[in-house]
Amino acid sequence: MSMNNVGRPTRPETANDAARGHETLTGNRGLLQNEALIFERDGWNKTGVDLPEAAAPSSDLAGLLRAEPIGLPGLSEPEAVRHYVRLSQKNHAIDLALYPLGSCTMKHNPRLNEKMARLPGFSDIHPLQPESTVQGALQLMDRLAHWLKTLTGMPAVALSPKAGAHGEMCGMLAIRAAHEANGQGHRKTVLAPTSAHGTNPATAAFVGYTVVEIAQTEDGRVDMADLESKLGDHVAAIMVTNPNTCGLFERDVVEIARLTHAVGAYFYCDGANFNAIVGRVRPGDLGVDAMHINLHKTFSTPHGGGGPGAGPVVLSEALAPFAPTPWLVHDDNGFSLVEHAGEAGAETAFGRMSAFHGQMGMYVRAYAYMLSHGADGLRQVAEDAVLNANYVKARLKDVMSPAFPDGPCMHEALFDDSWLEGTGVTTLDFAKAMIDEGFHPMTMYFPLVVHGAMLIEPTETESKQELDRFIEALRLLAGAAKAGETERFKGAPFHAPLRRLDETLAARKPRLRWKPVAAAPLAAE
Amino acid sequence: MRYLPLTPEDRVEMLGAIGVKSIDDLFVDVPASAQRSGTVDLPLHAGEIEVEREMAGLARRNRSAGEGPFFCGAGAYRHHVPATVDHIIQRSEFLTSYTPYQPEIAQGTLQVLFEFQSQVAALTGMEVANASLYDGSTGAAEAVMMAHRITRRTKAVMSGGVHPHYVETIETLAHAAGVATEALPAAIDAEDAVIAAIDADTACVVVQTPNVFGTVTDVTKIAEAAQAAGALLIVVTTEAVSYGLLKSPGEMGADIAVAEGQSIGNGLNFGGPYVGLFACKEKFVRQMPGRLCGETVDADGKRGFVLTLSTREQHIRRDKATSNICTNSGLCALAFSIHMSLLGETGLRQLAALNHQKALALRDALKAVPGVEILTPRFFNEFAIRLPKNAADVVETLANNGVIAGVPFSRLDAGAGLDDVLLVAATETTLDIDMTFFVKILTKAVAQ
């Protein structure tokens, strides 16, 4: 019998049998309530807001008015509060514990940033009210731009992209515009390493390029020979993630930039992992032409269950003139915006990424975070992020198999599944068993270049004590897997709000909304 | 550095466990020439008091909408958001969670997304909706790309009533992907003119209702004409509250409905973050961009929710994906969904009627101003007026007198020759005294 770190027996049969023998009568689990959909409550005539009565709509709109019911349920205020709070209790969050998803950078979200973003001077201003009435907001954008340019060593930045992938699109559109302006519009190929984040090839294809993959070396870096064989005057750009998705620094990055520039192509860097080097390395010194920065990752804005994010793009001298509108300009009268491509000052802009100026709410949070850390704190951020990842790797390397055991990693520790060989336990099973032990799983099966990948990103805001708890849990689980306790893994999770979910059924019989007619319950076949 | 929990002693101990002497040993893969010693030329770390002082100083230099009479719309609207909404979205478990990749411990987010999809489908009158896009404008661009994939045709026709910023956003993406666009000239009652522009290359027709001038249009005939020609109809809405009063895109035959959802649950935020609503006919679901949440069961047969049909997405199909989107607007979708639940059908209809009533009152008030002409024939909560002077100048004069009067059309499209046109909006937050004051100052400004 194995014991956990507080000395209690953790044999799966114990927990499992006990749970099965005592199914609850209601389906609720302890204080965790089952929660019906808002559509399944008796709320068709309810509302949780008090509004003044309004007159019947004007006759000008006759024939344009809705005739049929919309089909929207309503909740009174107490019911709404309870519904959403109950649902919230079924979520894991960084405020509860470590959230070691690789490539996602789940770090502490300071509440000061939330407080600042809610100042009416930022949250209650309209994107098109007179510029004279939003000078503080424009100045904040200017200061944010200054910090981003200084930290990256790049001369220009486009703030408007709304997320990392949107930033990639912005960078690639600037590259495309530059080529077209220089009579190089025939370049239709973009190179991307096999380890690239899926957004890289998706973005290149979306803006009209053909994607060619570059192989990876055994030590997890861009294969320089393969790169050289694929470079040529048909290549528009290379997209490299650095530090890459294996959690490694591309040692040859300066040479990659040189070779890329030598054939007249541009170097796009996926900056999703900038927190590993911020304050220590400036991408501008490496030869980068364009790089997006996920403000929500490096400068901590809450991920909110999947967004919103923000993805400003820093640009080299060569690409700066091709940035999208709007542009911020400054003269004796203060700050103003150049809103449209073709206007004075934006003759070569490729256009607009979205309706307004980007994610102001995220700019405020990121800027507050930057001020809090300062130049010294941000350098410490990179060092602690890298230290934490290497610590995890060092303390697990004897029980799990690091994908690239030689040399340090950057801010992420990557393992493959070779250590699970013969146990009957898969990466997925292992991840689900982690849930039972109270930890959110790492990223699984990514990057694709490593078999059964497990990518752990602890981030710089984890304490040594929390890392030790996490490491201890993984060591216990690894021991259990190797001892043949497969039941613990195959059936996991046993203790989460729900057991393992049938994702195949969801894809095979898509049910994407509540339907008013009672449908037969979904069942696994 | 209060956000960093490692102590100097921890760091020494951890370096020892790793088997290196100093932190620099962990950065050996970085070329020495690119390593910087010391700190970059930026201020050093600041405490909470100092940060608050600096941020508050910047915030004070902005005139917030709540400070007085305010009439801006044009794609972003000031509505009252119940306190409950912001309270719930700030709960840690929603605010600080990630994309729900481990569904067993993310049912909160997933059930909300399923409810959100159901609400959006109902509102738009469409069969299916996704779990949100960045905003209405990028949603419109994605819709055009989706129509291109479905029809394999290469032209998008956009009505002269589509918000000019949406037109520019669509053009940016469409041109990169080799899709031609034909944007018809700005016109106040423009929607029917698009029928004549449809040809055999047309992948989609993009119309907006209420349009950028506020005009409400029944687009049923455009839907019929587009579909008869083998094209899809994309209906864009920038004011989601209008769904409470007006026929839905689905009722009028839309193939894809896209909207800006900011109006429900989300503040103005100087343009973002917002939330894109995106809905379509079920037969197109596998070409839909972005994220989808679906119902399923767990190992015990209990109902649960998961992200699904991910074979359309970038992390699997890479260069064949239906979009490159990774992060969406999950938290803004949550805010939308909570506010929508609080309103319910009853509250939404009442809110919409109230908005319309306020706009009618504003029209009647402005009609009385000498030299002002009401241009929009039928509207929801926003309309265009013609001034006897340059609208941007008038807006600046009024701003100096404490009234944020609206959006000059030239701010959206400087080349349309509509420099005397002003877009004005009223919502439930517009008070009678705001209108009275507006009329008084405007009367003076146009008479000078």
Side-chain angles (χ1 to χ4, degrees):
Chain A
M1 183 187 291
S2 62
M3 309 283 268
N4 65 16
N5 59 357
V6 290
R8 294 213 183 92
T10 57
R11 282 178 58 240
E13 295 88 327
T14 316
N16 205 6
D17 292 349
R20 283 196 186 140
H22 296 281
E23 279 296 323
T24 63
L25 301 172
T26 55
N28 298 332
R29 287 189 185 187
L31 297 179
L32 206 56
Q33 306 259 344
N34 282 343
E35 189 61 19
L37 294 169
I38 50 175
F39 294 84
E40 294 164 344
R41 309 168 65 107
D42 188 19
W44 297 103
N45 293 314
K46 266 186 194 172
T47 180
V49 297
D50 290 324
L51 291 165
E53 288 298 322
S58 86
S59 57
D60 291 353
L61 294 175
L64 300 164
L65 299 174
R66 262 187 198 275
E68 301 297 315
I70 308 169
L72 290 168
L75 301 174
S76 66
E77 189 172 305
E79 290 171 305
V81 170
R82 222 172 248 175
H83 176 71
Y84 291 102
V85 171
R86 281 177 179 171
L87 288 181
S88 76
Q89 291 179 314
K90 298 178 184 181
N91 262 7
H92 183 77
I94 189 66
D95 283 359
L96 285 167
L98 183 80
Y99 211 134
L101 279 172
S103 97
C104 300
T105 316
M106 291 298 288
K107 62 170 74 165
H108 173 60
N109 299 132
R111 287 310 190 279
L112 172 62
N113 304 349
E114 296 304 306
K115 186 178 174 187
M116 297 300 97
R118 283 169 174 78
L119 293 171
F122 297 132
S123 65
D124 193 26
I125 53 174
H126 191 281
L128 299 171
Q129 71 185 66
E131 287 164 342
S132 60
T133 64
V134 289
Q135 286 296 303
L138 297 175
Q139 189 168 18
L140 184 140
M141 288 167 69
D142 186 61
R143 288 188 186 170
L144 177 74
H146 174 71
W147 277 70
L148 292 173
K149 287 186 287 187
T150 307
L151 289 168
T152 57
M154 303 281 280
V157 60
L159 292 178
S160 66
K162 290 188 164 270
H166 207 219
E168 286 177 27
M169 194 180 281
C170 172
M172 294 310 290
L173 288 170
I175 285 171
R176 198 183 145 120
H179 279 314
E180 280 168 7
N182 298 329
Q184 296 287 305
H186 62 276
R187 292 172 182 264
K188 296 287 182 207
T189 300
V190 166
L191 306 180
T194 49
S195 62
H197 198 275
T199 51
N200 294 175
T203 299
F206 230 62
V207 302
Y209 287 113
T210 304
V211 181
V212 172
E213 290 197 331
I214 312 170
Q216 198 174 7
T217 57
E218 287 208 340
D219 71 349
R221 270 85 172 182
V222 171
D223 183 326
M224 295 300 286
D226 195 45
L227 168 64
E228 284 196 63
S229 75
K230 286 171 179 165
L231 278 170
D233 64 7
H234 62 294
V235 175
I238 181 171
M239 296 181 88
V240 173
T241 305
N242 194 27
N244 69 22
T245 47
C246 298
L248 302 170
F249 196 86
E250 292 289 351
R251 285 188 209 107
D252 296 319
V253 58
V254 175
E255 182 65 2
I256 293 171
R258 193 187 67 78
L259 293 170
T260 302
H261 291 152
V263 298
Y266 292 105
F267 183 5
Y268 186 89
C269 183
D270 181 322
N273 300 331
F274 187 51
N275 72 316
I277 56 172
V278 61
R280 278 193 71 112
V281 181
R282 299 190 311 172
D285 296 338
L286 303 172
V288 168
D289 291 297
M291 183 181 92
H292 73 267
I293 301 163
N294 306 64
L295 295 185
H296 46 294
K297 294 184 178 191
T298 301
F299 302 107
S300 182
T301 71
H303 285 64
V313 180
V314 287
L315 298 165
S316 62
E317 289 289 356
L319 294 182
F322 304 98
T325 49
W327 277 358
L328 199 55
V329 290
H330 184 239
D331 63 21
D332 293 345
N333 296 321
F335 294 95
S336 56
L337 290 161
V338 177
E339 294 260 28
H340 304 281
E343 268 176 39
E347 291 85 354
T348 51
F350 64 73
R352 183 175 268 283
M353 294 295 297
S354 67
F356 303 117
H357 325 310
Q359 306 283 65
M360 181 65 184
M362 303 294 117
Y363 303 160
V364 176
R365 290 171 176 87
Y367 186 56
Y369 192 76
M370 288 173 169
L371 292 178
S372 299
H373 269 305
D376 49 340
L378 288 171
R379 187 179 168 94
Q380 192 68 54
V381 159
E383 294 182 355
D384 286 358
V386 171
L387 179 62
N388 279 354
N390 278 283
Y391 181 68
V392 169
K393 182 181 162 192
R395 296 239 10 235
L396 290 174
K397 68 179 177 197
D398 59 326
V399 293
M400 292 167 64
S401 40
F404 302 101
D406 300 330
C409 58
M410 295 303 283
H411 61 303
E412 314 183 276
L414 178 62
F415 298 87
D416 60 28
D417 65 354
S418 58
W419 65 281
L420 284 170
E421 215 166 287
T423 61
V425 174
T426 65
T427 293
L428 180 71
D429 297 332
F430 188 78
K432 297 300 183 191
M434 285 172 68
I435 293 174
D436 279 339
E437 302 301 331
F439 291 95
H440 194 284
M442 63 285 268
T443 291
M444 305 174 298
Y445 303 106
F446 180 83
L448 306 173
V449 287
V450 167
H451 196 271
M454 303 176 210
L455 183 62
I456 302 175
E457 181 176 10
T459 82
E460 68 276 8
T461 59
E462 292 305 329
S463 68
K464 178 172 177 296
Q465 193 173 25
E466 186 76 3
L467 292 178
D468 285 338
R469 276 189 351 107
F470 174 71
I471 288 163
E472 187 55 28
L474 260 60
R475 293 186 70 89
L476 286 168
L477 279 174
K482 287 173 185 167
E485 291 182 31
T486 50
E487 176 70 12
R488 174 188 299 283
F489 296 91
K490 285 291 165 199
F494 294 101
H495 300 289
L498 286 183
R499 299 283 309 283
R500 203 177 294 193
L501 284 145
D502 188 342
E503 306 201 21
T504 313
L505 176 69
R508 209 174 58 236
K509 296 183 183 170
R511 202 179 271 187
L512 305 171
R513 63 176 291 197
W514 181 82
K515 292 228 169 98
V517 183
L522 270 178
E525 283 161 15
Chain B
M1 298 202 214
R2 58 200 180 280
Y3 305 145
L4 299 177
L6 296 184
T7 63
E9 295 75 26
D10 287 335
R11 292 186 183 113
V12 171
E13 201 181 321
M14 291 165 78
L15 288 168
I18 296 164
V20 295
K21 286 199 184 68
S22 79
I23 190 73
D24 292 340
D25 295 337
L26 299 179
F27 285 84
V28 288
D29 289 328
V30 181
S33 61
Q35 295 228 30
R36 299 184 63 79
S37 58
T39 54
V40 290
D41 185 20
L42 290 167
L44 301 184
H45 71 276
E48 193 155 333
I49 299 166
E50 297 160 282
V51 176
E52 279 199 39
R53 179 72 65 91
E54 170 151 359
M55 301 300 286
L58 288 169
R60 260 198 313 278
R61 299 191 59 208
N62 305 315
R63 200 271 200 187
S64 66
E67 283 178 44
F70 182 87
F71 302 91
C72 291
Y77 301 87
R78 180 161 197 269
H79 291 286
H80 177 74
V81 179
T84 298
V85 175
D86 195 46
H87 172 75
I88 293 171
I89 69 164
Q90 287 205 70
R91 276 194 66 93
S92 287
E93 304 89 331
F94 284 129
L95 185 74
T96 76
S97 59
Y98 192 67
T99 305
Y101 290 144
Q102 297 289 341
E104 296 84 1
I105 45 173
Q107 286 299 303
T109 293
L110 285 160
Q111 183 168 334
V112 167
L113 292 181
F114 188 80
E115 293 176 348
F116 171 81
Q117 288 173 186
S118 305
Q119 288 171 321
V120 172
L123 277 169
T124 54
M126 304 300 289
E127 287 164 338
V128 291
N130 73 11
S132 86
L133 295 176
Y134 305 136
D135 70 357
S137 65
T138 58
E142 293 281 357
V144 168
M145 301 308 289
M146 177 172 158
H148 167 59
R149 286 194 296 278
I150 292 168
T151 62
R152 299 179 183 279
R153 296 183 179 187
T154 54
K155 195 178 90 176
V157 174
M158 296 181 275
S159 111
V162 178
H163 194 297
H165 285 183
Y166 282 49
V167 170
E168 287 183 45
T169 305
I170 292 169
E171 284 172 346
T172 296
L173 191 49
H175 293 172
V179 176
T181 52
E182 183 179 348
L184 300 179
I188 285 163
D189 205 352
E191 308 308 331
D192 284 337
V194 297
I195 293 177
I198 300 172
D199 63 22
D201 292 331
T202 305
C204 58
V205 175
V206 186
V207 298
Q208 180 176 327
T209 181
N211 75 16
V212 70
F213 298 99
T215 313
V216 176
T217 307
D218 187 336
V219 297
T220 308
K221 274 191 222 140
I222 307 173
E224 285 162 7
Q227 286 148 6
L232 304 186
L233 177 69
I234 299 170
V235 176
V236 174
T237 304
T238 59
E239 170 51 290
V241 173
S242 68
Y243 287 141
L245 192 67
L246 302 169
K247 274 187 188 173
S248 70
E251 275 184 279
M252 298 186 286
D255 294 287
I256 305 171
V258 177
E260 176 51 70
Q262 172 268 329
S263 281
I264 299 179
N266 289 277
L268 288 169
N269 288 319
F270 201 43
Y274 287 178
V275 52
L277 314 184
F278 194 107
C280 69
K281 291 179 174 166
E282 194 153 21
K283 62 182 173 184
F284 301 135
V285 72
R286 283 172 203 273
Q287 290 299 330
M288 197 184 223
R291 192 166 290 154
L292 285 165
C293 172
E295 184 182 331
T296 189
V297 295
D298 80 348
D300 291 339
K302 283 189 173 182
R303 178 172 67 185
F305 302 95
V306 294
L307 294 182
T308 194
L309 300 183
S310 58
T311 46
R312 308 163 300 113
E313 290 184 58
Q314 40 77 19
H315 58 279
I316 296 184
R317 292 205 69 201
R318 299 170 80 85
D319 56 338
K320 303 274 191 299
T322 58
S323 78
N324 72 333
I325 294 165
C326 188
T327 291
N328 60 344
S329 276
L331 196 72
C332 302
L334 170 67
F336 178 97
S337 198
I338 299 167
H339 192 182
M340 198 67 252
S341 304
L342 280 167
L343 287 165
E345 176 128 6
T346 317
L348 181 69
R349 283 177 180 272
Q350 203 179 347
L351 177 64
L354 192 55
N355 270 257
H356 183 55
Q357 181 181 302
K358 293 278 188 182
L360 292 177
L362 180 63
R363 176 195 60 187
D364 293 344
L366 290 175
K367 223 195 255 178
V369 177
V372 170
E373 183 191 352
I374 310 292
L375 298 178
T376 307
R378 39 182 198 284
F379 54 84
F380 170 61
N381 69 351
E382 179 169 25
F383 54 93
I385 60 176
R386 175 164 283 137
L387 301 175
K389 288 182 166 180
N390 179 294
D393 294 343
V394 173
V395 165
E396 202 60 49
T397 306
L398 266 66
N400 292 331
N401 287 279
V403 178
I404 305 295
V407 178
F409 193 77
S410 60
R411 180 92 190 259
L412 302 175
D413 180 354
L418 297 173
D419 292 356
D420 53 356
V421 172
L422 181 67
L423 307 176
V424 292
T427 70
E428 76 283 1
T429 64
T430 311
L431 304 178
D432 290 347
I433 50 165
D434 296 339
M435 298 190 211
T436 310
F437 195 57
F438 184 14
V439 166
K440 185 176 152 196
I441 306 289
L442 181 65
T443 306
K444 242 189 248 173
V446 296
Q448 272 165 11

